[in-house]
Amino acid sequence: MEHTAPIEVSNKSFAELLSSMAKTGFQGRRLGLAFEIWLEMLKEERLTILMGLAGAMVPAGMRKILTWMIRNRYVDVLVSTGANLFHDLHEALGFKHYLGSDYVNDEELYREGIDRIYDVFAYEKEFNRLDFLLSEIFAESEGVFSSREIIERIAEKIRGDAKEDSIVLSAYEEGVPIFCPAIADSSIGIGASLASKRCVVDTIRDVEELTEIVAKSEKTGVVYIGGGVPKNFIQQTEVVAKLKGYDVEGHDYAIQITTDSPYFGGLSGCTFEEGISWGKINSKSRKVQVFVDATIALPILAHGLIGAKRKAYPNFSFGEEVKVSYSPRV
Amino acid sequence: MEHTAPIEVSNKSFAELLSSMAKTGFQGRRLGLAFEIWLEMLKEERLTILMGLAGAMVPAGMRKILTWMIRNRYVDVLVSTGANLFHDLHEALGFKHYLGSDYVNDEELYREGIDRIYDVFAYEKEFNRLDFLLSEIFAESEGVFSSREIIERIAEKIRGDAKEDSIVLSAYEEGVPIFCPAIADSSIGIGASLASKRCVVDTIRDVEELTEIVAKSEKTGVVYIGGGVPKNFIQQTEVVAKLKGYDVEGHDYAIQITTDSPYFGGLSGCTFEEGISWGKINSKSRKVQVFVDATIALPILAHGLIGAKRKAYPNFSFGEEVKVSYSPRV
Amino acid sequence: MEHTAPIEVSNKSFAELLSSMAKTGFQGRRLGLAFEIWLEMLKEERLTILMGLAGAMVPAGMRKILTWMIRNRYVDVLVSTGANLFHDLHEALGFKHYLGSDYVNDEELYREGIDRIYDVFAYEKEFNRLDFLLSEIFAESEGVFSSREIIERIAEKIRGDAKEDSIVLSAYEEGVPIFCPAIADSSIGIGASLASKRCVVDTIRDVEELTEIVAKSEKTGVVYIGGGVPKNFIQQTEVVAKLKGYDVEGHDYAIQITTDSPYFGGLSGCTFEEGISWGKINSKSRKVQVFVDATIALPILAHGLIGAKRKAYPNFSFGEEVKVSYSPRV
Amino acid sequence: MEHTAPIEVSNKSFAELLSSMAKTGFQGRRLGLAFEIWLEMLKEERLTILMGLAGAMVPAGMRKILTWMIRNRYVDVLVSTGANLFHDLHEALGFKHYLGSDYVNDEELYREGIDRIYDVFAYEKEFNRLDFLLSEIFAESEGVFSSREIIERIAEKIRGDAKEDSIVLSAYEEGVPIFCPAIADSSIGIGASLASKRCVVDTIRDVEELTEIVAKSEKTGVVYIGGGVPKNFIQQTEVVAKLKGYDVEGHDYAIQITTDSPYFGGLSGCTFEEGISWGKINSKSRKVQVFVDATIALPILAHGLIGAKRKAYPNFSFGEEVKVSYSPRV
C-alpha cells in the first residue's frame, strides 16, 4: 500500500499544493484528485469538456474565473442555470453585486429595494433594467430557437454595451455553446415573459443538440459545479444517445464539486458510481466528487490550472446536423 | 416565555404527536410547525396552495401520498421535475421500482440493465417502454403548448391503460394543473426528443400561466418538497407578477422540506427570510423550513393531515386568460 | 426483486407506518429499518442494549421519551454527554427550557441572562443554581470514582428534591448504568471544578467497566443518538475487549440517528461498514444509519415502540468485577 | 455598499488569493475572512490562541501542517481529541497511514487486519504496538495528573524514539500545552486501560488549568478545527472563569472550520452568535465560521500564513497556580 504523505508547509505553487493534497485523505484528497483529472483531460486529443453550472456562482464572485476557463478552453460546452447567465450579463453591463451579510433584517432590505443572495446584495432596480432589456431582445426575435441560439442572440445584442468580459460574451467569442434548458426558471425567462410578443424557446431542441455533441465527440469529460438541471441534463445525454442508436459508453472523465449528499437520493448529490448503473458514466472513467462549496474549490482549482496547456479542443457547427471537429490548441 | 413541553410517550394520533413536537426544539419543532401551518392553510377561504416537487419522490415510495394530497385538495397546483412525473406514469402503468441497496456493484447493475436511484432499482427496459410511449404522444401532438397542456395531454392518453392511481392522473381528474418548466431535463424530454416530429413546449408560457394563477389568487401558500427548479419557479412568480403591474405582496404561507443548507448560497436551500428581501415571501407570512429528508417528513405529515378539512379550494380555467375562482369543499 | 410498496395514507399506528416506510426508499426506508431492528433486539434473550446520547436532546424536549425508554428497558446502558445529564437534572428539579428562536439578537439575550441553544432558551441563573448544587455534591465526595459512580451519587442526592421524572433518576431506579466519559466537558465538570475540594473522576475506569459489560454480555446492540464521544466510546469497547483477550466479534445490532456525513472522515458520521473493518461491528449484524435530526426520529420511533415487549434484559453488578445476568421481562 | 470583486485568475500567492476571496460570497468569502482574522490575531501583543482539534486530521495528512503551526506559534494551546494525538504519535514513531478507498469490502479489510478511516487505511497491529507502549507509560506513572501532564509525560518518553516531528513533540518543545479532556475516549484511554496499574487522569483539573489560562490571558482567540469536545471545552472556560469570579468577557477572536450545521442544535455546529448569548464569545469579537472540510481549509490557510509574523506569544507556567506572561516573537 502507498502511504499518505502529510503535507509539508513550504513555498509551493497552487498546482503543487493540489498534487500533494491528492496524497492525503477525505475531501482534501478529492480536491487534489479533481485537479489531476482536469489536467489529464487537457492532455487528451479528442475530448469534449462539458461543464454544468448551478448555484449563484456569479453573485459569489466567480464570473472572471469561469470566463477565464472558457477563454483558455478548459471548458468546451456550458450548461447553466438561467440565473448565472443573468447575473453574468448584469455584471457585463457594469452593474454590481455587493458585499452583504446573512445577519440582516430582510424586511428592511425589501423596503430599500435590495435583493439578498445569502451574504451578497443586489439592487432590485438594476436587475429590473436587465429584465426589460432582455424582454426587448425576446420581442425582436421571431421563430423557434434552442436555448443555445437564444443565448447567442443575447450575446450579440449585448456585446456592444459590455463593460466587462463575461461568461456569455467569452463563450460567444470562443465558440463555446451555452445551453440553458430550464430557461423559463430564471430572470431570462422572466424577461421573455415580459415581452409583448416573443419567440419560442424549444428546449427539446437543446436535448437534441447536446446529445449530438456528446455522441459525436470521441470522448467526453464532465465538470459539474453543483447539481440541479445542468448536471442531470448533461448526464442524460448518454441515455438519449443510446436510445437514438449511437454507440456511446458513458462519459470518460467526471468531476463534481457539490454540497449535496448522496443519501437523500437526489440526482444533484448522487455518486458517479450510481451513474455507472445508468450508463451515464463509463465504468473505466476517472471520476471524483468533492464535497465542498464551489466558491472555495473554483478559485483554488483555477489557480492550479494556470499555465496548463490544452492539447486540442473541439469545434462545433450547428447546421442541419451538429458537427464536431478537433483543432490543436496553439 | 413559554417553556418547552417534553413529549410524553402515550397513545396519540399523528396529528397529536405533530402538535406536541411544535413545543419542542430543533427540526422536530419545525416539523410540528409545518403541520400547523398546513392546517391553517386549509382553513383559509380564498387560498391557493402551490406545491413544488423535486427529488426522486416516486421511486422512493411517495406516489400514493402525493396522489392522496391531490385527491383531498391539500394541494391545488403542482410544479414538478419531469423525473417525478415520469416515474409516476411508470408506476401508473403497472411498472415497478424495486428495493435495492446503495452498497452494490454498479458495473454489474449496468450489465443487468438495472438503473439505481440510491437504494432503489428499476429496469432500464421498462423505462424505455415509457420513453417510446411518450415519444408517440409527442409525435401525435402538433403546435405550441405550455408544459401544463402537455402533461394534461399525456394524462388523457395514458389514462385508459392505467393500473394504479397516480399524481398525473389524479391531478388531471381533480383539476390540479401540473407545470414542468424544466421538461427537457427529464425522461419526458427524452421521450419528446425521440419523436419523429413533435410539438413545441413553450415553457415561457408556463411562467405566464403560473404567474396569472398567483396574481389572481387572493392568497397563496407554498409547500416545497426539496428545492431546485420547482421551488424557484414558484418563488419567482411574485417577482414576475409585480413586474407585470399586479399588486402582489409575496406568498402568505410557506413550508419547505429540504436537505439543502442556506450557507452555500443556492436557491434550493435559501431561507424564506431571504425570500422576503425579494418580495417573494410576505414578511407577515407564516413560514417554516424543515431540514429533513422528505421520505420521512411526507409520510408523517400526510398521516397527521388525515381528516383535516379544506374549507374552500380554487378552480382554474385556462382560456384567453387564466381565471381563478373558489368553491367550498364539501 | 421485491418492489417498493408506496405508502397508502390510511388510519394506521406508528408501528404500522414505520413498517411500511421500510418498504420505500432513502432515509424514510432507513427510519423504518431502524424501527424493525430495535424490535428485533427486544426479542433477543441475552442481549444488552447500549445507547450513546449526544446533542442537546433534553433542551429539545426529548427528556420524557428517553426516560420512558429507560423505564421500559428499551435501553440497558447509557453513555451520554454531560450536557444532556445536566439539562436532565435541571428539568428534574423543576427548572425549564423555553421556546425561543434562532432569529434573535444574541447580545440582547446575553444582557438578559438568557442562554440560547439554537431555538431553545434557558436562564443562566437557573443553570448556575445547579452548577453550585453539583459543586456541593462533588465537595462532599471523597475518593476516586468512575463517572458511572458519580452519576449514581448525584442521582441519590437529587432524588428527594425531584419534581419530574428524568433520565438520571429513572436510570438510577431501573439499574441502568450511565457513563459520562467526557464529564469534564460539561456543566457537570464545571460544577466539579467549582468545588472547594472534590473527588477524582477516573474515566479510564469507565473504559474498564463498559468493556466488561460488553465482553460479558452474550450479545450487544447499540443505538447511537448523534455521534461524538458517546458513539466512539461504545464502539471502542470491542477493540479494548479484544486487546484484553476476550472473545468478542463486534456489536450484533446497530442503529444510528445522525446528521453527520461519512465523507468528512469523522467518527461521528462514519458508517457501520467502516466499523466492521475495526471489528467494532459484527459483519453479520443488522445495522442501519438514518440521516435525520433525532428530534424527529426519537418521537416517531418511541411512539412506534409503544407496547413492544422486551423478552429479557440484563442486570449488572459492579463489585470487584462487573457481572452481567439476564432476567425475563414481565 | 462595497461591491464584490470577482476573483481575477493570475499569478498570486496563497495569501493574495485568500484576501481576494474575502471580497466574494458564500463559504469562499468566509475562508478569506478566516485568514484575515488569523493574521489579525498574530498582530496582537497580549493574546493567547487556543486551538480545538477534532476529526481524524492526522490520518488525513494534516500532521505536518499542525506541527508547523505549533512551531511557528500560530497556536499557543491545543485541546485535542485523543485520536489525533494517538495517530500523531503513531506517525512520529515512523508508522504510516495509507491511501485507501471508501469503496471497499470492509469484511475483507477486517480479515487482513486493516482499519479504515473513510479513505485512509492503517494496520491494526501497528496501532496495537502503540496501545501497549502507552500502557507501559501509564503503568510507570503513579499519582493523579491532568491530561496535560500525561501528554507531556508521553512526549518525554517517546521523544527519543521519534522518527518524525509531530504535534505532541513540537508542542512539548515549544511550550504549547495540550489538553485531552476526553482522554478515556480514544486509543490513549485504551492504552491506559490496558496498564496493569496506572495513574489517574483527573480531567476536572484540565477544566481548572485551562480556565486559568483563559482568565489570565489578556485576550484570547480561538480556532476550532471541527467541533466536539475540543470546541465545547474551550468555549466553556469563559463560563467557568466568570463563575469563579474572574472578569472575562468572551473570546476576542473566533474561527471555526466545520462541517456541522447550526440547525440541528448541537454545540459542534452552533454559531458564534449563539456563543455570544452565553458570554463565551465577545459581542465585539471578530469571528467567522467556514463550512468546509478541514482537509481543504488547513492546507490553504497554512500556505497563506507562510511568513506571517507573530508579534508576541504567551508563556505558561503550571505550578501552584497557572501563570501567563507574554514574550515578543523574534
Side-chain angles (χ1 to χ4, degrees), chain B residues 26-27 103 116 259-266 291, chain D residues 26-27 103 116 259-266 291:
Chain B
F26 310 167
Q27 300 307 310
Y103 277 88
R116 180 163 76 85
T259 55
D260 292 308
S261 297
Y263 40 74
F264 298 120
F291 293 91
Chain D
F26 311 170
Q27 299 308 310
Y103 277 88
R116 180 165 75 85
T259 56
D260 292 307
S261 297
Y263 41 73
F264 297 120
F291 293 91

Side-chain angles (χ1 to χ4, degrees), chain B residues 57-205:
Chain B
M57 289 296 106
V58 173
M62 300 296 115
R63 172 177 51 90
K64 289 186 179 177
I65 288 173
L66 293 160
T67 301
W68 176 89
M69 284 176 168
I70 290 166
R71 292 274 180 216
N72 282 279
R73 283 307 282 269
Y74 296 150
V75 167
D76 300 314
V77 176
L78 185 67
V79 178
S80 178
T81 59
N84 271 311
L85 305 179
F86 181 87
H87 295 139
D88 176 72
L89 294 168
H90 179 82
E91 292 196 358
L93 292 171
F95 297 123
K96 301 295 182 191
H97 293 96
Y98 298 90
L99 294 167
S101 163
D102 56 313
Y103 277 88
V104 76
N105 183 329
D106 285 290
E107 213 181 324
E108 244 167 58
L109 290 186
Y110 178 61
R111 282 194 301 263
E112 294 173 26
I114 291 171
D115 293 340
R116 180 163 76 85
I117 303 168
Y118 189 56
D119 58 0
V120 173
F121 292 167
Y123 286 111
E124 173 79 15
K125 271 202 184 144
E126 290 181 5
F127 278 169
N128 293 347
R129 285 179 56 183
L130 184 51
D131 289 333
F132 285 105
L133 189 61
L134 288 169
S135 87
E136 280 166 38
I137 296 174
F138 276 94
E140 289 162 14
S141 306
E142 218 172 319
V144 177
F145 302 95
S146 70
S147 73
R148 177 193 59 80
E149 290 169 314
I150 280 295
I151 305 298
E152 271 179 32
R153 209 178 178 89
I154 294 171
E156 249 170 57
K157 298 270 182 178
I158 256 166
R159 224 176 143 199
D161 299 319
K163 296 191 171 100
E164 294 266 340
D165 198 3
S166 98
I167 296 168
V168 171
L169 298 179
S170 63
Y172 179 80
E173 288 167 16
E174 302 293 339
V176 167
I178 297 181
F179 293 88
C180 184
I183 193 164
D185 177 50
S186 72
S187 287
I188 301 184
I190 293 179
S193 83
L194 298 175
S196 51
K197 62 187 174 57
R198 60 170 171 81
C199 62
V200 172
V201 187
D202 179 1
T203 55
I204 306 299
R205 205 180 275 187

Side-chain angles (χ1 to χ4, degrees), chain A residues 101-116 121, chain B residues 242 249 271-285 287, chain C residues 103:
Chain A
S101 163
D102 56 313
Y103 277 88
V104 76
N105 184 327
D106 286 291
E107 213 181 322
E108 243 166 61
L109 290 186
Y110 178 60
R111 281 194 303 264
E112 294 173 25
I114 292 171
D115 293 339
R116 180 165 74 86
F121 292 167
Chain B
K242 210 173 152 193
E249 298 185 61
T271 62
F272 286 134
E273 279 73 20
E274 182 175 312
I276 289 173
S277 77
W278 294 76
K280 297 167 179 174
I281 297 290
N282 193 306
S283 65
K284 287 175 194 64
S285 66
K287 58 190 182 299
Chain C
Y103 277 90

